Amino acid sequence: MVYIRYCCKVYFLVGIFLLWGKFSLAQTTSKKVVADAASHQVLPFATIKPANGGKAIIANINGVFYIPTSGFATIVVSHTGYQNKTLSSNELATMDTILLQRRTNALEEVIIRSDVSKIKRILNLAIRNKPLHNPDLYEAYQCDMYYKMYSDMERLNDTNAAALLKRRKPSKDRDSLSIAKSKQAAAKSDSNLRAFIEKSHLVFSEVFSQRYYRKPGQLQELILASRFSGFTKTYFTNLVTNVLPFHIYGEYISANGIDYLHPLAKGWQQRYQYRLEEEIVVGADTTFVLSYRPLPKSSFEGLEGSLYINSNGYAISHFIGSNTHNATGRLMQLEQVHMQQDGRWFPQEINYRIRFKGITAAMPGFTMDGHALVSNLRFEVADAKVFDKAYPVKLADSVDLRSEAYWQQFRPDTLTAKERTTYRLMDSFFAKKKIERLMNAFSDLPMGRVAIGKLSIDVARLLASNNYEGTRLGLGLYTNDRVSKYFSIGGWAGYGTEDKAWKYGASATVYPKGNKDNWLTVGYSNNYRNAGSISIHPELDRMALRNWLLQKPDRVAEYMVGLHTQRGYWQMELMARKQQITNLYASNFNWQGNLITAFDVKEATLGLRYAHGEKRVPVMGYYLADQTVPLRYPIFYLSASLGKASAGAYQARYWRGLVGVTYSRHSNRWGNDEWRLMAGGLLVKDAIPLPQSLLLAGNGLKRNGINFYVPGAFITMGQSDVYSSHFASLHYLHRFDKYLWKSKFSQPFISFGHNILKSSLATVDKQATAGIATIDKAYHESGLLLNQLLQKGLGNLFTVYLNVGAFYHWTPTYNWQQNGVWVVGLGARF
């Protein structure tokens, strides 16, 4: 008993001592924030060091640092591009936020010549060591990820307020009472808007996930929880998690869909200018703080900011980059912190900010801010961990039904009052206004449809125009997930103003797993089709263009059944068709003295697509290929068909094989290259000829009137200008990174393209169809494009571009009138 009492006293005293120690520690440090004096935006990675020398402190990504309340006389606070600020301990004790004044012409100041060789040595060592610190080259890792994103309307300024008042200004013939009421309404509107900006974000969202990686290129991210203010379902996970790059060790820094030339890459001396701001002793290492910006009069997508390079491995420890000189006025800023764990550098925190101008003068702009935090990092992954190649980003069950207690387990900090208010206000407002119903209307956009209630409209069926039909008006209606996510039934119809004929069809599709990657479909259609259309895969076929390029049409009545599945990086599709084909043109197909213009076809087709390393992400309820991250490997396509064509005594059994390969690569100091290789061939039993409907037509886009440029096709060739039984084609396009000039309405860059076709037509096919077009030698065409010659942005939310150019088909004799084509193209970017 005495022993127990003695132990209790000891533990009690130890507890009191620890409690006192904790209390004392809390009293000896003070939290401070470094911010911009003009905007009050926090300044990440500010440097705090004693004025008389010694080890320094680097503020965190939110501009926060902790400093002892005693034990120092004076400190110096510095940040790249800002004037240093010297503070005594007494001055520091009276302030929570340290405001720094921006320094003008920071990089234009004279650089000490002795720094030049040191800067070169630091940068070249860091470039050489980049592969050592690239997370994609580690053997394995796993970590937890917490993402936070919010959007805010900027504060009203005098210009916005005046524009709002002007918009409500009454006409002159109204009485003074009416004018007074109008002014009161404008003032109230202004006051309400200001109050809303103060207490709530426009949007607030959180995502929590677990990320697994195993070399080479195996990535699995499991979204465990997702919440987006105003919505009950997960629509925009990709918007929160994929705007910012996970790390900055590639050749380019890709953010918000744009590739920015990396300031730390080979050739930096021709792209960027640097200044060594300071050297900081942090622990046992030295951190070199370098500011950078594009060279004067540069014409590429570049960044400016700061690089913090640690002498331990010459790794990037902190990074700030922004595109403040972007001609469109859109601001993007990216900040990252990399820390060492187990001797390896790895991302720890990531911030981004994108600023958009107001759509009108009356509306202020708004910003979108994101933050990601890495925790529970381990450089191993259990061997039993299964990587689902088909769905590297997956949504867990009940991902949007997590309780507040569940969220509190993973949040690094509690939500602020403004964040909590955003959830409360937006959830209530969206429910009251039934805004989620409007969002459901666009949930089928990945399939090219817009939902209205329980039915979805097929947008591609609404309108088309071509030389044969004139203008085609139509409508397609299909059931959507509001009826059932396991099946969809519907049909379509269209009518041409020139041919005065109806086209129509119907189908029923079953989704056994409730997702759109696996389905079984049956259907009937009675429609037009270009003779000899090559069909490999929807990504290559451009089916939406077919109705606009109709030149030699067949009338095709078709019954079909199809099966589609996604397995890993593979897509597989099996289709069976029974068709009645009628030529609507002078085909001249002659078999044993008989002119045949209609025949029956039975055909079975196996289609394959393989995209190694492709990342599929959840978007609007679908899993789609992530277009924001370029693939490191080619995509392969295959279509193999067995068929039989018959018309009375005419019988032809054939085999058709088609392949395609696409590859794109963005190279530092060179630009972006795109290749598309396609080839195909026909084998017919007993060397029986095939009609034009079943031959292989040229992949051309030329038409009467305006010609549009679409990469991966022949621009100077019509859809039905060439027919073959065997062909191979190569389409190449190079996009240069440099802009010719940069302005608000024009930011052009040059693209160069060259396309080659080599084909042959079997002798029996030539003999059976008099006058059929073919080529005996290789077909070459080259083109120059001026991209983004004109651009128009809608408040920086959406930018439309006009591209112009010309292509020429090479022949021994120059003839622009016959072989040249002027083209226009439209591009858009969110």
Side-chain angles (χ1 to χ4, degrees), residues 587-661:
S587 68
N588 299 325
F589 181 66
N590 192 294
W591 170 251
Q592 295 181 348
N594 296 316
L595 185 66
I596 301 177
T597 60
F599 45 91
D600 296 329
V601 172
K602 296 178 180 179
E603 185 177 280
T605 301
L606 172 65
L608 299 174
R609 176 185 182 272
Y610 180 75
H612 184 78
E614 183 175 69
K615 185 178 179 181
R616 298 176 66 78
V617 294
V619 179
M620 304 290 285
Y622 295 84
Y623 282 88
L624 304 177
D626 186 0
Q627 302 295 326
T628 64
V629 181
L631 282 179
R632 296 168 56 188
Y633 307 97
I635 302 177
F636 297 92
Y637 306 87
L638 170 69
S639 175
S641 302
L642 288 172
K644 177 184 177 182
S646 59
Y650 171 74
Q651 303 280 329
R653 299 180 184 273
Y654 62 89
W655 175 88
R656 180 176 61 245
L658 301 167
V659 295
V661 181

Side-chain angles (χ1 to χ4, degrees), residues 314-562:
Y314 281 82
I316 302 172
S317 62
H318 304 73
F319 174 85
I320 302 174
S322 64
N323 67 332
T324 51
H325 291 284
N326 187 284
T328 63
R330 182 188 297 112
L331 169 68
M332 189 286 301
Q333 180 161 318
L334 173 68
E335 301 151 1
Q336 285 202 4
V337 180
H338 287 224
M339 302 290 286
Q340 266 200 324
Q341 179 172 315
D342 301 331
R344 302 177 190 178
W345 290 89
F346 200 83
Q348 294 293 316
E349 286 190 81
I350 307 166
N351 276 358
Y352 71 84
R353 161 166 282 217
I354 303 172
R355 181 188 180 277
F356 302 89
K357 293 188 300 184
I359 297 177
T360 66
M363 290 299 295
F366 69 93
T367 58
M368 186 169 75
D369 294 76
H371 177 70
L373 179 67
V374 177
S375 61
N376 296 329
L377 171 65
R378 289 186 290 168
F379 292 101
E380 60 181 3
V381 174
D383 293 337
K385 177 64 182 176
V386 177
F387 289 82
D388 191 333
K389 296 178 181 179
Y391 305 100
V393 179
K394 299 178 71 173
L395 298 176
D397 294 336
S398 305
V399 66
D400 38 30
L401 299 176
R402 303 303 188 189
S403 65
E404 181 62 22
Y406 183 92
W407 275 107
Q408 289 176 2
Q409 301 176 66
F410 307 111
R411 289 185 184 127
D413 297 305
T414 57
L415 296 183
T416 66
K418 194 170 185 177
E419 291 166 348
R420 293 194 301 271
T421 300
T422 307
Y423 275 146
R424 178 174 53 81
L425 286 181
M426 293 303 169
D427 289 354
S428 174
F429 178 76
F430 277 41
K432 182 178 179 180
K433 300 297 183 180
K434 300 180 181 179
I435 293 178
E436 194 153 10
R437 287 189 180 182
L438 179 62
M439 183 55 58
N440 288 332
F442 297 100
S443 60
D444 278 349
L445 274 181
M447 295 183 68
R449 299 175 182 175
V450 175
I452 299 179
K454 297 181 179 181
L455 296 177
S456 294
I457 298 173
D458 189 338
V459 177
R461 298 288 184 186
L462 294 175
L463 177 67
S465 176
N466 56 66
N467 297 334
Y468 190 86
E469 294 178 281
T471 300
R472 179 198 280 202
L473 301 174
L475 180 66
L477 293 174
Y478 299 85
T479 63
N480 54 40
D481 286 358
R482 296 195 67 183
V483 174
S484 174
K485 68 177 183 178
Y486 294 103
F487 69 85
S488 175
I489 58 174
W492 62 273
Y495 183 80
T497 58
E498 291 292 329
D499 66 331
K500 310 294 184 183
W502 284 96
K503 302 90 194 174
Y504 46 88
S507 65
T509 305
V510 177
Y511 305 100
K513 295 184 178 181
N515 62 47
K516 304 306 186 289
D517 274 350
N518 301 277
W519 43 258
L520 172 68
T521 186
V522 295
Y524 171 82
S525 64
N526 196 310
N527 197 12
Y528 290 162
R529 185 179 68 192
N530 268 308
S533 293
I534 296 174
S535 181
I536 302 177
H537 188 274
E539 292 175 0
L540 306 180
D541 300 342
R542 297 190 175 88
M543 297 299 293
L545 279 176
R546 294 274 174 95
N547 291 334
W548 296 77
L549 297 171
L550 204 61
Q551 293 177 346
K552 280 192 174 181
D554 289 322
R555 184 87 189 202
V556 181
E558 176 185 274
Y559 295 90
M560 56 80 68
V561 58

Side-chain angles (χ1 to χ4, degrees), residues 188-208:
K188 184 177 180 181
S189 175
D190 178 45
S191 176
N192 290 340
L193 185 57
R194 291 178 188 273
F196 173 80
I197 293 172
E198 289 294 329
K199 68 180 180 180
S200 176
H201 298 294
L202 285 175
V203 170
F204 179 62
S205 178
E206 298 175 281
V207 174
F208 176 74

Side-chain angles (χ1 to χ4, degrees), residues 131-146:
L132 302 178
H133 312 306
N134 188 340
D136 293 340
L137 300 180
Y138 290 159
E139 288 297 323
Y141 67 80
Q142 66 181 64
C143 60
D144 293 344
M145 298 289 300
Y146 172 79

